Amino acid sequence: MSTPSRFDRGHTDDLMSFLAASPSPYHAVANAATRLEKAGFQQVRETDAWDASTGGKYVVRGGAIIAWYVPEGAAAHTPFRIVGAHTDSPNLRVKPLPDSGAHGWRQIAVEVYGGTLLNTWLDRDLGLAGRLTLRDGTHRLVNVDRALLRVPQLAIHLDRSANDGLKLDRQKHLQPIWGLGDVEEGDLIRFLEQEEGLAEGEVTGWDLMVHSIEPPSYLGRDQELVAGPRMDNLISVHAGTAALAAVSAAGELEYIPVLAAFDHEENGSQADTGADGPLLGTVLERSVFARGGTYEDKARAFAGTICLSSDTGHAIHPNYAERHDPTHHPRANGGPILKVNVNQRYATDGSGRAVFAAACERAGVPWQHFVSNNAMPCGTTIGPITAARHGIQTVDIGVAILSMHSARELCGADDPYLLANALVAFLEG
């Protein structure tokens, strides 16, 4: 993959399609799996015995996907090169008893998921998407991608101080409306069953969330920016998928390239599909053992493994420059960022910096540094979790964006492809 010109936007066009088609982690995983299958990857099930065959393979568990490519002649102790990411984004998620309302308005009861910017969900046309669990235990993806819901803001006439500091009660003020009339128990699920052509009562479980139906778009006089939903962190999931597919067709590889896209990063990663769960370690171990490896081979493989934890970071904000470190100013379209925090909110050290710098140099990709202002708390990623849980050297990187955790975020139009270039070079080793 060569460095793109300003007008070489094929990757970014494809990213925008991926964002629009992935309103939930389950959709993101399904779309990544489809792209990998087109590149020759095959799904393996955790309940099946794994063999020593070479080629591309992937495992899906809920909103997480782990994919890897075993090249011809790979020894049992061959190290891995991992691109880590997450599929979830902060949003509003449907409660177990969703049918609500008051004063003639029918509403949907939702719970705040992750650290979302609450005000960005106000007065926005919203759809509903996620996963339905059927009576026979199978799953069905659902995506009502039209104006179904809305969280109406209180008129300024009834809150004259709104522009002096809006305060939203998470319980009272964020419940979306979706119609008029009396509340009917089971109404939402019956509606979704009808949408999917299912019999009434066939849905017995659900994992549902709202999403903005406004599609991603280029922005700016020269269209050098992209605005869209769920960039944190589907930019990295998309780039990692593209990079893994690219290197799987590249021929001889020194390492086993891996994509690990987890769910539930936005609320701490402590889930069976999260980075703090056993999924990645189990998949890597089984890959070693399927190739005839021993515990010693697994230890050798992990000791030589490196993970790039790819997640979005903060671009310098022109209206709030004082909130950033005075000497570290990541810019849109300046290339991916290397994220550093000496208190281990990011896992990068000097050795990891060298790995990332070498990959960017091979790819011909510019890159930048990110570090938080000392007076501001620093966010974190799956990076430190991966390093601590598996004893794997991990480096935190990503794309610099504005409006992180908004219902609609903003990045440079070239940065996603620059990231993908760097990831290809890293996975190739």
Side-chain angles (χ1 to χ4, degrees):
M1 301 171 73
S2 59
T3 303
S5 70
R6 172 166 293 182
F7 302 104
D8 182 4
R9 293 285 168 80
H11 180 89
T12 305
D13 290 342
D14 190 61
L15 168 64
M16 292 164 68
S17 297
F18 186 81
L19 292 173
S22 304
S24 78
Y26 312 106
H27 288 83
V29 165
N31 290 323
T34 297
R35 289 160 184 258
L36 290 170
E37 286 182 354
K38 289 180 179 178
F41 284 68
Q42 295 181 336
Q43 183 175 5
V44 295
R45 302 190 183 280
E46 293 183 82
T47 53
D48 293 341
W50 292 5
D51 59 33
S53 60
T54 59
K57 307 174 185 183
Y58 71 91
V59 164
V60 168
R61 184 191 289 184
I65 182 170
I66 311 291
W68 67 103
Y69 181 83
V70 180
E72 292 285 346
H77 61 268
T78 300
F80 302 92
R81 284 269 172 131
I82 305 169
V83 172
H86 66 88
T87 60
D88 60 319
S89 300
N91 56 15
L92 306 177
R93 302 204 171 188
V94 176
K95 289 184 175 181
L97 300 176
D99 301 295
S100 178
H103 306 291
W105 295 100
R106 289 159 62 204
Q107 295 175 277
I108 302 300
V110 297
E111 188 173 4
V112 177
Y113 177 84
T116 188
L117 284 168
L118 300 178
N119 66 296
T120 67
W121 294 96
L122 303 179
D123 296 331
R124 191 181 290 273
D125 294 339
L126 304 172
L128 189 67
R131 180 180 69 170
L132 303 175
T133 302
L134 308 187
R135 189 169 294 278
D136 63 3
T138 61
H139 300 295
R140 176 79 66 89
L141 297 185
V142 61
N143 181 13
V144 184
D145 196 32
R146 63 178 187 270
L148 182 69
L149 307 164
R150 187 177 179 91
V151 182
Q153 188 169 189
L154 185 65
I156 195 165
H157 311 79
L158 303 179
D159 183 7
R160 295 290 183 178
S161 64
N163 289 330
D164 299 323
L166 178 65
K167 285 192 174 294
L168 295 172
D169 185 296
R170 290 168 176 254
Q171 179 63 36
K172 295 191 299 183
H173 298 154
L174 295 173
Q175 309 308 310
I177 62 172
W178 76 310
L180 300 171
D182 296 331
V183 178
E184 297 181 24
E185 185 178 351
D187 197 19
L188 176 65
I189 300 307
R190 282 193 296 271
F191 164 75
L192 293 175
E193 288 172 335
Q194 293 170 1
E195 285 283 307
E196 291 298 306
L198 299 169
E200 185 172 336
E202 195 168 349
V203 173
T204 57
W206 53 87
D207 302 279
L208 300 168
M209 58 209 72
V210 306
H211 66 275
S212 171
I213 63 170
E214 184 180 3
S217 63
Y218 287 106
L219 185 144
R221 185 194 67 180
D222 298 321
Q223 296 193 328
E224 68 264 63
L225 301 170
V226 170
R230 300 175 293 280
M231 290 183 173
D232 179 11
N233 182 32
L234 294 189
I235 286 178
S236 297
V237 175
H238 177 262
T241 302
L244 181 59
V247 300
S248 70
E252 295 185 6
L253 294 170
E254 184 179 354
Y255 300 92
I256 296 174
V258 179
L259 169 67
F262 301 100
D263 199 356
H264 296 300
E265 188 271 350
E266 296 294 357
N267 60 6
S269 295
Q270 291 185 321
D272 70 320
T273 54
D276 203 20
L279 181 58
L280 176 61
T282 299
V283 168
L284 299 185
E285 288 177 353
R286 290 185 68 178
S287 176
V288 170
F289 298 153
R291 285 176 279 124
T294 63
Y295 178 85
E296 182 72 12
D297 291 315
K298 176 244 179 178
R300 293 175 65 189
F302 276 42
T305 292
I306 305 173
C307 173
L308 287 191
S309 166
S310 182
D311 202 347
T312 54
H314 303 292
I316 180 77
H317 197 304
N319 298 339
Y320 301 91
E322 73 281 359
R323 301 297 183 97
H324 298 264
D325 183 83
T327 58
H328 295 77
H329 293 164
R331 296 173 180 264
N333 287 336
I337 54 174
L338 179 73
K339 301 156 75 171
V340 178
N341 179 264
V342 295
N343 294 303
Q344 290 299 291
R345 301 293 283 172
Y346 303 130
T348 307
D349 62 10
S351 176
R353 181 189 188 278
V355 170
F356 180 62
C360 289
E361 182 178 348
R362 287 195 300 274
V365 167
W367 59 282
Q368 311 175 79
H369 290 94
F370 172 81
V371 65
S372 289
N373 186 309
N374 284 333
M376 305 289 293
C378 181
T380 190
T381 68
I382 66 165
I385 294 171
T386 302
R389 181 171 184 85
H390 305 294
I392 290 172
Q393 182 182 9
T394 304
V395 188
D396 273 293
I397 66 161
V399 164
I401 69 171
L402 292 181
S403 304
M404 186 184 293
H405 288 195
S406 169
R408 194 168 177 86
E409 297 161 322
L410 184 71
C411 76
D414 289 340
D415 281 332
Y417 194 30
L418 293 172
L419 172 66
N421 274 300
L423 296 183
V424 167
F426 166 73
L427 291 177
E428 287 178 338

